Amino acid sequence: MKKAWWKEGVIYQIYPRSFMDLNNDGVGDLKGIISKLDYLKSLNIDIVWLSPVYQSPNDDNGYDISDYLAISGEFGDMNDFDELLKGLHDRGLKLVMDLVVNHTSDEHEWFKASRASKNNSKRDYYIWRPGRNGSPPNNMQSFFGGSAWAYDETTSAYYLHYFTKKQPDLNWDNPKVREEVHQIMRYWLDKGVDGFRMDVIPLISKNPEFLDIESDDFWDVVNKEYANGPNVHKYLREMNESVMSKYDAFSVGEGVGVSPAQANDYVGADRKELDILYHFGHVVIDFGARGKYDPVKFSLVDFKNIFNDWYQALGESGWNCIYLDNHDFPRMVSRFGNDNHYHKESAKLLITLLSTLRGTLSLYQGNEIGMTNVKFDSIEDYKDVEAKNAYNEAIENGLSDREFISALHKQSRDNARTPMQWSDSKNGGFTDKEPWIKINPNYKSINVQQQDNDPDSILNYYRKILQVRKLHNTWVYGYYESLDNDNHRIYCYRRWDNERSYLIILNFSNDGVTYHQPLLEKINRIVISNYPNPEIDHRAISLKPWESVVFEIN
Ligand code: ISL
Ligand code: CA
């Protein structure tokens, strides 16, 4: 396995709106991040991924960009950005920007020109089609509800938008569009940024025929009809050749709609396309045929099988990203742990899992203190356009307000977007003013200040295991094998290379479990555990609820 700094480095994702508000207008800002640089360094992370900070009308919180070369006034200005970049580099940290180029905002100059007339020079920057007898060109749905086509009166035509109406999709078949994107990338790379997280990158190439879609299985449709279009690999190779390969920078693609079998077409070492892919396996594990608000039950065995399959599929060629949540998904401790009785234990267990799987580790702000989902009472408190659209659709379809609000409690993206909980003072120390989205009321007990002072806190465990990980390349590059894969309460696996061997045992249950494992005879030492003094007797370990132990074995 070829070594690289971006394979070993740990990514920490910042959602700037919700990280730290220094000028007290209720919205997080770049100066706020700058004020926390020493904190970031203290976490033992290596790379900061900034969700979009570009100019944007914020229909989708910055994922709708109206100027790729300008900083949003809400967040600060280019001087603040330069100061942030320097502050990170001075501390030996890297910076990755979010590159959102499947679509722009409808307020981008390109789209304003494109929609103005049929014969302007930017018309083909976007995807325009005539209607079919007063209906959209085909039956494709937007990810955020309703048709993926919007009718535009000025030129009596429809434009494609996979996300909101204010996020028109770019036409990547136009070489001028690709060159514009390359220029944007060069601008940021020349400034010194260390890479890009590429938003919905598998969606950029469209099948120009736009036939009607027959299947109604959400993920099947995303895989076959939205992602992995006819020219996606050509465009990524071109991007790599003319931009990325010229810099010591890396790319991590959001692998929406990519199956394990397709993964190495994007990240195989010989492909020269992307460096890392973060797949959707476990983050959509409970999505039903109609998507996230149609949830299905899953078992620990299903969960393990996803990690097993992706490990196999990427093999010794491709490279994975290891994460359990981000700004689009519920909080990991609420979804995969127990955020009630075993909050601390299960949060530490999940961090242990993440730290000991093969791939680049990507952590989200708040993971370090075990931030949880939030339960807002009213749709008014939800800010995400996706949540609001889904709510309206559900109510139209006859669901009650209460029913859908409780679905939002579980699945809303706003679970991950409440302000960072710095202290137990007003608004968690995030702002003095009304925050743009309400803070989770549990900030009084879950916050950085309190955990910083507690040697047994989630925060200090996180710092410690990331420190340990730096000494153990085996956790990054080593082989992986799941043991007793059918066990539905225990996730046990081995990681090894020519030099070292580790055994990881995680109790994913609220029960005490006596677990028999022959490899326990070969224990050399305990590397880290989330309870003091694990109880081992010969070939058995008596695990407490959500106990996790990492052993070095002979
Ligand atoms: O959020 C999702 C499910 O809850 C995903 O389907 C999401 O739409 C998908 O991951 C794409 O996400 C990315 O592109 C979107 C943006 O809203 C997300 O925040 C971004 O991460 C459009 O740019
Ligand atoms: Ca602010």
Side-chain angles (χ1 to χ4, degrees):
M1 177 68 61
K2 221 173 148 232
K3 303 211 156 128
W5 62 265
W6 44 263
K7 291 185 177 173
E8 294 166 27
V10 173
I11 300 176
Y12 180 93
Q13 182 193 354
I14 291 183
Y15 196 67
R17 292 189 89 68
S18 303
F19 191 65
M20 180 65 199
D21 174 24
L22 210 76
N23 69 347
N24 287 309
D25 61 357
V27 176
D29 43 52
L30 295 179
K31 283 217 156 64
I33 302 174
I34 293 167
S35 75
K36 296 294 183 186
L37 282 171
D38 290 333
Y39 171 75
L40 291 170
K41 181 70 186 171
S42 85
L43 296 176
N44 297 324
I45 55 105
D46 306 285
I47 303 162
V48 168
W49 151 23
L50 265 194
S51 271
V53 292
Y54 315 95
Q55 189 178 296
S56 162
N58 284 315
D59 192 49
D60 186 20
N61 283 358
Y63 284 87
D64 49 319
I65 297 168
S66 53
D67 185 347
Y68 291 89
L69 306 183
I71 298 294
S72 152
E74 284 183 307
F75 293 147
D77 60 24
M78 200 55 88
N79 291 328
D80 297 332
F81 179 84
D82 293 339
E83 190 185 332
L84 173 60
L85 182 60
K86 181 167 187 304
L88 287 165
H89 285 169
D90 285 349
R91 288 166 180 77
L93 301 174
K94 310 260 188 194
L95 180 67
V96 165
M97 299 292 276
D98 216 310
L99 186 74
V100 188
V101 288
N102 172 67
H103 44 269
T104 69
S105 162
D106 67 338
E107 297 181 35
H108 195 288
E109 291 305 323
W110 301 335
F111 191 71
K112 288 188 195 165
S114 184
R115 80 190 325 177
S117 66
K118 283 192 172 162
N119 49 20
N120 73 77
S121 65
K122 299 282 190 295
R123 183 65 172 181
D124 287 339
Y125 271 43
Y126 296 85
I127 300 166
W128 294 94
R129 291 288 184 281
R132 267 186 322 191
N133 312 319
S135 302
N138 76 352
N139 65 356
M140 279 183 125
Q141 296 290 298
S142 143
F143 278 79
F144 294 160
S147 171
W149 298 94
Y151 183 69
D152 205 46
E153 280 184 352
T154 314
T155 56
S156 310
Y158 287 82
Y159 65 85
L160 183 71
H161 63 91
Y162 278 174
F163 296 90
T164 76
K165 281 193 177 62
K166 287 184 66 62
Q167 294 168 294
D169 283 46
L170 282 165
N171 175 19
W172 276 70
D173 293 334
N174 181 347
K176 285 193 200 139
V177 166
R178 305 202 299 273
E179 187 46 40
E180 298 265 18
V181 171
H182 299 169
Q183 287 297 353
I184 292 166
M185 294 171 73
R186 288 185 195 108
Y187 173 84
W188 292 101
L189 289 166
D190 288 339
K191 257 188 180 296
V193 311
D194 303 287
F196 295 105
R197 173 268 185 190
M198 299 186 181
D199 192 66
V200 294
I201 201 74
L203 308 189
I204 57 175
S205 166
K206 273 78 178 175
N207 191 335
E209 289 173 57
F210 292 108
L211 302 174
D212 270 338
I213 291 169
E214 312 280 340
S215 164
D216 59 4
D217 180 315
F218 183 73
W219 285 109
D220 186 51
V221 172
V222 173
N223 173 262
K224 297 204 172 67
E225 313 284 353
Y226 291 71
N228 315 306
N231 293 312
V232 66
H233 297 296
K234 176 177 161 207
Y235 299 156
L236 289 177
R237 260 196 303 277
E238 179 186 79
M239 179 194 269
N240 188 296
E241 192 179 306
S242 63
V243 187
M244 295 306 288
S245 62
K246 311 258 194 280
Y247 297 83
D248 181 21
F250 76 102
S251 56
V252 44
E254 186 191 23
V256 61
V258 179
S259 71
Q262 293 163 324
N264 273 349
D265 294 345
Y266 289 87
V267 290
D270 54 336
R271 298 285 295 184
K272 302 209 178 337
E273 294 190 21
L274 300 175
D275 294 314
I276 314 177
L277 191 78
Y278 72 90
H279 68 76
F280 272 49
H282 50 282
V283 290
V284 300
I285 191 169
D286 54 356
F287 286 26
R290 281 174 294 120
K292 65 197 275 190
Y293 298 112
D294 175 30
V296 293
K297 283 214 172 345
F298 66 93
S299 70
L300 179 64
V301 178
D302 301 330
F303 183 79
K304 293 188 222 180
N305 285 340
I306 289 172
F307 289 102
N308 299 343
D309 291 350
W310 279 90
Y311 173 81
Q312 286 299 337
L314 293 164
E316 300 304 305
S317 174
W319 194 249
N320 201 354
C321 181
I322 301 295
Y323 73 110
L324 287 174
D325 62 6
N326 60 35
H327 66 294
D328 287 337
F329 293 97
R331 288 282 177 181
M332 70 179 188
V333 68
S334 301
R335 196 175 190 196
F336 302 116
N338 178 334
D339 65 4
N340 190 7
H341 294 300
Y342 297 104
H343 175 249
K344 193 201 276 194
E345 294 77 9
S346 64
K348 290 181 181 175
L349 175 142
L350 294 172
I351 292 164
T352 310
L353 170 72
L354 290 166
S355 305
T356 55
L357 288 173
R358 180 195 270 183
T360 297
L361 177 51
S362 182
L363 296 159
Y364 182 60
Q365 70 184 41
N367 285 164
E368 68 270 36
I369 53 170
M371 279 178 63
T372 70
N373 282 354
V374 71
K375 291 187 165 132
F376 293 137
D377 274 343
S378 153
I379 189 66
E380 299 307 314
D381 293 332
Y382 285 89
K383 302 296 172 200
D384 181 13
V385 62
E386 186 265 346
K388 289 189 180 295
N389 289 354
Y391 175 88
N392 293 335
E393 213 168 278
I395 300 297
E396 267 170 39
N397 291 334
L399 232 65
S400 74
D401 172 81
R402 286 300 93 189
E403 279 170 313
F404 201 74
I405 292 288
S406 71
L408 288 174
H409 291 170
K410 287 210 184 67
Q411 297 288 49
S412 163
R413 305 197 298 180
D414 282 337
N415 281 311
R417 299 176 179 188
T418 60
M420 187 65 194
Q421 297 168 197
W422 295 106
S423 70
D424 61 6
S425 62
K426 191 181 163 211
N427 292 322
F430 166 73
T431 184
D432 278 352
K433 280 269 172 48
E434 207 46 34
W436 71 275
I437 186 170
K438 282 187 176 161
I439 192 158
N440 191 318
N442 66 19
Y443 74 90
K444 297 255 181 210
S445 54
I446 300 176
N447 63 65
V448 171
Q449 189 186 44
Q450 180 260 324
Q451 293 197 22
D452 204 21
N453 297 321
D454 171 4
D456 188 43
S457 65
I458 301 166
L459 178 60
N460 283 316
Y461 183 90
Y462 176 107
R463 288 173 167 146
K464 182 170 167 205
I465 199 163
L466 295 190
Q467 182 63 43
V468 173
R469 193 174 192 266
K470 289 192 203 306
L471 311 171
H472 296 264
N473 258 346
T474 311
W475 295 3
V476 178
Y477 298 109
Y479 298 107
Y480 158 93
E481 183 191 16
S482 170
L483 306 170
D484 296 316
N485 198 58
D486 292 339
N487 192 313
H488 61 278
R489 287 186 298 190
I490 308 298
Y491 193 172
C492 176
Y493 50 98
R494 206 158 68 90
R495 296 295 314 279
W496 77 97
D497 57 23
N498 290 337
E499 277 159 34
R500 291 192 185 81
S501 217
Y502 298 91
L503 178 70
I504 294 98
I505 302 183
L506 313 169
N507 178 6
F508 268 83
S509 83
N510 298 327
D511 311 315
V513 178
T514 301
Y515 175 60
H516 295 267
Q517 171 50 255
L519 286 176
L520 285 167
E521 273 191 339
K522 301 173 91 194
I523 295 174
N524 178 350
R525 67 188 178 103
I526 292 173
V527 181
I528 194 164
S529 62
N530 68 347
Y531 281 87
N533 309 318
E535 278 176 54
I536 301 139
D537 180 14
H538 196 48
R539 292 168 159 209
I541 177 166
S542 306
L543 294 158
K544 296 176 191 69
W546 296 96
E547 181 160 358
S548 63
V549 194
V550 181
F551 299 101
E552 189 175 326
I553 56 175
N554 292 315

